Amino acid sequence: MARDLMDSLQIERIQQSISKAYAQIDQVKQAHEETLNTTGDFRLSQSTARRDDQISHTQTMMSQVNSEMRALRELKNQYMSSHSVANSQKALLQSRYQKVGRDVKDLLTSYSKVSKNYSTQYREKLKKQYRIANPSATEEEVDEAVYNDDAHQAFAQAVSNSSKVHNATRVLSSVKQRHDDVKKIAKTIEELAALIQELSELVDEQQVQLDSIEDAVEASNTHVQSAQVAIGEGIVLAKKTRKCKWWFILVALILAIVIGVVLYLKLKPN
């Protein structure tokens, strides 16, 4: 009973963390939207700071959920190695852990999709800034500047040295801000990918153990069914044996009566 209660509390805690994390993802979305639509260096700086705080908080929550899953795995492994826990119970526990693992993986995947979506939007915003800074830049040059740090620095240097670009300092400040946004989100996506990979390995590990337990349970059920069949056949045989026994007694009794009558008739005085 204490073991079942502990399992329930552990799983409930993770499910609550998952629900809170989904709500936090919504906060991150709002912060991204605000940052994307904000203009002006000062306002953009404030919006970016708020967004970064939301992202940092979300990353902490994701790591916490992952840590809770690792703790749950340790608890699960203790039960799986216990000889006092039946295979059928182990299969049930393993199935529950696997479901929670999939829920956590879905959470991380969902947040990763959100991050990739806004990464694309930030890159498009950055491309627009580059085109403002250098209208003569080719599409290849813009793409290279967005995805390559060295190209970005060379591009920024070229714009700052150009006499054809008005307000170069202000434009480059905005470009740098957007470029930093792209790099931060890329780091977030990398961290999420690592967490997802860890969860995938955990779920795969659970599946291997679950398959092994299910095989053992199936083999046990097969043995039980075979035993039940053997017992059933034994009962039928026992019934037939008892029936034959009574017929034998009846025949023996009749023979005894016949023999007794014959002897009586022969030995009876005339």
Side-chain angles (χ1 to χ4, degrees), residues 172-223:
L172 286 176
S173 176
S174 179
V175 168
K176 181 180 184 303
Q177 182 66 63
R178 298 301 182 186
H179 190 73
D180 289 343
D181 289 340
V182 170
K183 293 172 64 176
K184 289 176 183 177
I185 296 180
K187 181 180 179 182
T188 297
I189 294 173
E190 290 178 0
E191 293 174 351
L192 285 171
L195 292 177
I196 291 173
Q197 178 61 32
E198 182 178 348
L199 256 296
S200 297
E201 293 174 356
L202 173 60
V203 172
D204 291 343
E205 171 193 329
Q206 289 178 337
Q207 183 60 51
V208 170
Q209 293 184 0
L210 182 58
D211 291 341
S212 177
I213 293 173
E214 287 178 343
D215 290 343
V217 171
E218 183 176 354
S220 177
N221 289 336
T222 300
H223 292 319

Side-chain angles (χ1 to χ4, degrees), residues 39-57:
T39 58
D41 291 347
F42 179 71
R43 292 177 60 191
L44 180 59
S45 177
Q46 288 184 319
S47 176
T48 299
R50 287 192 294 269
R51 181 210 58 196
D52 291 347
D53 286 342
Q54 294 291 350
I55 290 177
S56 177
H57 184 45

Side-chain angles (χ1 to χ4, degrees), residues 90-128:
K90 290 180 179 180
L92 178 60
L93 288 173
Q94 193 81 346
S95 178
R96 293 177 64 191
Y97 295 145
Q98 192 175 33
K99 181 184 181 304
V100 175
R102 288 195 299 267
D103 290 343
V104 174
K105 185 178 178 181
D106 289 343
L107 168 68
L108 297 175
T109 301
S110 176
Y111 184 42
S112 179
K113 289 180 180 178
V114 169
S115 299
K116 290 178 181 178
N117 175 50
Y118 282 105
S119 176
T120 300
Q121 294 187 49
Y122 278 109
R123 290 184 190 278
E124 290 302 318
K125 195 85 170 181
L126 184 55
K127 287 181 180 180
K128 291 180 181 180

